[in-house]
Amino acid sequence: MEAEPSSTATTTRITDLNEDSLAHCATYLSLQDLSNLATTCKSLKRVAYSDPIWQHCFREHWPRELLQTSGLREAYLKRRVAVQQFKFVDPLVADLYITDAKPFDHIILDKNDITFSQGSLVQMTNIDSFLNGRDGVTALSDHNARITCMRLFPLSETSLFRSETQRKENVLVTSSCDHSIRLWWKGSCQRCFRGHNGPVLTLSDKLLGDGSAKVLASGGEDGTVRLWSLSSSGKRGQHALKATLYGHEKPIKLMSVAGHRTSLLATISKDSKVRVWDTTTSSAVRSSCCVGMTSVPGAPVDVKCCESLLYVAAGSSVVAIDLRTMQKVITVAIYQPKLCSFAIVPSKPLICTGGIDKAKLWDIRINQETLKPEPVAELDGHTGPVTLLHMDPYKIVTGGPEDSYINVWETDTGAQTNSFICCPSDAASSSSGMGCSAMAVNGTRIVTASYGEEHGLVCFRDFFNATCAVSKREDVLASKFWDPQSYSDGDAYS
């Protein structure tokens, strides 16, 4: 006969532990987990905000920094925001000189791995290896015409994935004017996809679909959208082409995958006709996959999907289109005489546009109330078109082919936080100085590419361990001419 449970039995709850024990356990949590802990109840919020936790976080990331005795959470968060906004003059700098003195078409920064293209050539390097003098640049020369687009996708969403140890690895996908698409991994071409009757001009910014069989979309000069399975095996990518979608009459310029339904693909052609495709539709007539159409005025500059909205930058304006109705919801920005670039942060109601000599910051909420949108800030100080534009929750980074400097601004206010050179000082001061040809930003790291008469330059900067803050008393121009400690490829191999 089983004994009845004692009525005096008690259950131990997490809040029964003392705060010191809880704080020690909480040091093993991520920032997101700490944030979640703080929202559970008042007592755990007090633990999540306690100094021992944030002292541990600070020491883990910046062990050489002097710490104050209290308010460590605020100090940690302030420091974290400052390095994200590049508010320092002494980042780690590595200069990589390239023998080919020609434009850089594309550049990608993935952690400390840099991938860039010039013409038909893809080149890759790892900054850690470069600084330690081990590996130089790996050249990938399988394409025989100019590369038009480069994307990174998770290795786990391709047929090359073998084990969980590869979970964080990415593959590189490139399209080219040689009519092909190539998938690269570990420094070599693993797949080659052919099917377009002309140059392949663009690739989808994300893979389509929710399941294991993800699909890549491409757009060509032949006006077709083609869907490719990255799960297909075989070096030549046999049977990878899943569908060809017809409907556009002109070359396809840009494409973006919807945020609310990953089976929807938005495309825009050079005549500014917008089409939305449901890539899961099964039909013998592939044009029936088109579930929406519209058009916008002006030449296409960029398109980005954010949930159920499609933002289209074309001509001199940015408009938001509801993908469910294909109706224009709002004109977000108007930039005369024309737009050169466009960026948006999905987590904030802000967009940024690049034009001639400056960029502008716009608040979507404010412009919903007016027929003529007005910027909330003008990011002035460039020379020529601002064609390079990065935007994240912390910062906006701007540059262009006629300007030797990169400018950095706070996302929320548009206040300038830094300005630094993207080419050698002697070239910047000469009449034939190099502007910025390509740029990529990833957290506290930025890589820029420029070229001159004799060589190209890829410059990597990491602000994570920087300690010398930009002086608030400096005017904007003075901050352009700081000269940080840098490491060139000559230093790395000496």
Side-chain angles (χ1 to χ4, degrees):
M1 184 174 180
E2 294 184 3
E4 294 184 3
S6 172
S7 59
T8 59
T10 59
T11 302
T12 301
R13 299 174 299 176
I14 189 172
T15 50
D16 292 332
L17 297 174
N18 62 60
E19 287 194 6
D20 289 341
S21 298
L22 285 172
H24 176 74
C25 295
T27 59
Y28 294 94
L29 299 179
S30 66
L31 283 180
Q32 183 60 56
D33 290 335
L34 279 174
S35 177
N36 294 339
L37 182 68
T39 61
T40 55
C41 64
K42 289 183 179 180
S43 60
L44 290 181
K45 178 179 180 180
R46 188 165 57 249
V47 172
Y49 279 35
S50 63
D51 283 343
I53 293 176
W54 297 97
Q55 181 182 39
H56 174 82
C57 290
F58 210 109
R59 290 297 185 204
E60 187 177 41
H61 289 94
W62 303 290
R64 298 180 181 179
E65 286 286 300
L66 295 176
L67 280 176
Q68 57 201 54
T69 57
S70 63
L72 296 181
R73 177 179 177 273
E74 290 73 19
Y76 174 85
L77 296 177
K78 182 179 179 181
R79 164 78 183 184
R80 188 170 184 268
V81 170
V83 296
Q84 289 281 348
Q85 293 179 337
F86 299 173
K87 290 184 174 181
F88 297 88
V89 298
D90 60 338
L92 170 70
V93 179
D95 290 333
L96 175 64
Y97 288 90
I98 306 300
T99 55
D100 289 337
K102 57 184 181 182
F104 292 79
D105 300 306
H106 310 279
I107 193 164
I108 294 175
L109 178 59
D110 180 29
K111 302 180 183 66
N112 282 352
D113 292 320
I114 301 172
T115 305
F116 55 91
S117 70
Q118 292 176 289
S120 63
L121 184 67
V122 178
Q123 299 184 73
M124 310 174 75
T125 189
N126 177 272
I127 287 298
D128 294 328
S129 298
F130 171 73
L131 292 177
N132 291 325
R134 292 197 299 269
D135 298 323
V137 176
T138 300
L140 312 177
S141 56
D142 296 40
H143 283 298
N144 54 41
R146 183 177 64 86
I147 292 166
T148 56
C149 188
M150 298 199 313
R151 305 287 193 201
L152 287 180
F153 297 115
L155 176 69
S156 59
E157 296 181 351
T158 74
S159 60
L160 300 173
F161 182 70
R162 293 291 182 269
S163 68
E164 285 300 317
T165 58
Q166 302 170 330
R167 178 65 63 180
K168 295 183 179 181
E169 295 187 39
N170 292 319
V171 295
L172 173 70
V173 180
T174 57
S175 60
S176 169
C177 289
D178 65 6
H179 305 193
S180 75
I181 300 166
R182 292 183 180 270
L183 185 150
W184 313 81
W185 184 51
K186 290 189 177 297
S188 64
C189 179
Q190 304 291 330
R191 302 282 187 274
C192 180
F193 307 120
R194 294 184 181 275
H196 281 282
N197 299 318
V200 187
L201 301 182
T202 187
L203 301 170
S204 56
D205 51 355
K206 293 184 293 186
L207 296 181
L208 291 144
D210 296 318
S212 57
K214 294 295 183 73
V215 174
L216 169 72
S218 62
E221 195 169 277
D222 57 7
T224 65
V225 175
R226 308 213 177 211
L227 305 180
W228 311 86
S229 170
L230 296 188
S231 300
S232 64
S233 59
K235 185 77 173 179
R236 297 171 182 257
Q238 296 99 325
H239 312 297
L241 181 60
K242 296 301 179 184
T244 301
L245 311 181
Y246 300 93
H248 282 292
E249 298 176 352
K250 298 293 182 181
I252 295 172
K253 181 75 179 291
L254 301 157
M255 53 177 53
S256 183
V257 177
H260 70 304
R261 282 181 59 192
T262 57
S263 63
L264 293 183
L265 176 71
T267 60
I268 186 169
S269 53
K270 287 190 175 181
D271 57 0
S272 299
K273 300 292 179 61
V274 178
R275 285 179 175 261
V276 177
W277 313 83
D278 186 347
T279 58
T280 60
T281 300
S282 178
S283 172
V285 183
R286 303 308 300 186
S287 60
S288 65
C289 294
C290 181
V291 295
M293 293 181 291
T294 188
S295 62
V296 295
V301 175
D302 206 350
V303 295
K304 297 186 190 304
C305 286
C306 183
E307 293 305 321
S308 60
L309 294 180
L310 171 66
Y311 292 88
V312 181
S316 60
S317 65
V318 179
V319 298
I321 298 169
D322 191 329
L323 293 173
R324 297 164 297 187
T325 63
M326 294 308 293
Q327 298 298 309
K328 186 179 78 171
V329 178
I330 182 179
T331 298
V332 183
I334 296 177
Y335 197 144
Q336 299 290 352
K338 68 174 184 176
L339 290 170
C340 300
S341 55
F342 161 69
I344 186 171
V345 179
S347 61
K348 292 179 179 286
L350 299 170
I351 71 162
C352 190
T353 56
I356 304 300
D357 298 334
K358 68 177 72 173
K360 292 182 180 181
L361 182 64
W362 310 79
D363 190 320
I364 299 172
R365 297 167 301 182
I366 296 175
N367 291 331
Q368 286 178 338
E369 309 297 328
T370 178
L371 296 176
K372 184 180 180 182
E374 295 290 341
V376 294
E378 292 195 358
L379 317 183
D380 205 351
H382 278 291
T383 300
V386 179
T387 56
L388 304 175
L389 183 57
H390 167 86
M391 191 177 187
D392 63 39
Y394 298 96
K395 62 188 172 294
I396 298 167
V397 187
T398 55
E402 298 176 17
D403 199 328
S404 300
Y405 295 95
I406 295 294
N407 291 335
V408 189
W409 322 78
E410 291 184 2
T411 296
D412 289 335
T413 65
Q416 189 166 1
T417 64
N418 209 337
S419 182
F420 45 83
I421 200 167
C422 65
C423 59
S425 300
D426 55 348
S429 60
S430 69
S431 58
S432 59
M434 299 182 286
C436 193
S437 181
M439 175 184 79
V441 182
N442 186 339
T444 63
R445 299 175 290 270
I446 178 173
V447 61
T448 57
S450 54
Y451 70 100
E453 296 178 356
E454 298 182 357
H455 59 258
L457 172 66
V458 175
C459 181
F460 170 87
R461 288 179 173 88
D462 189 352
F463 288 82
F464 187 79
N465 288 314
T467 57
C468 185
V470 174
S471 172
K472 292 182 180 179
R473 291 172 295 181
E474 290 178 323
D475 60 23
V476 172
L477 291 176
S479 68
K480 289 185 176 181
F481 297 99
W482 54 267
D483 187 19
Q485 176 66 41
S486 65
Y487 300 87
S488 67
D489 46 357
D491 296 325
Y493 293 105
S494 62

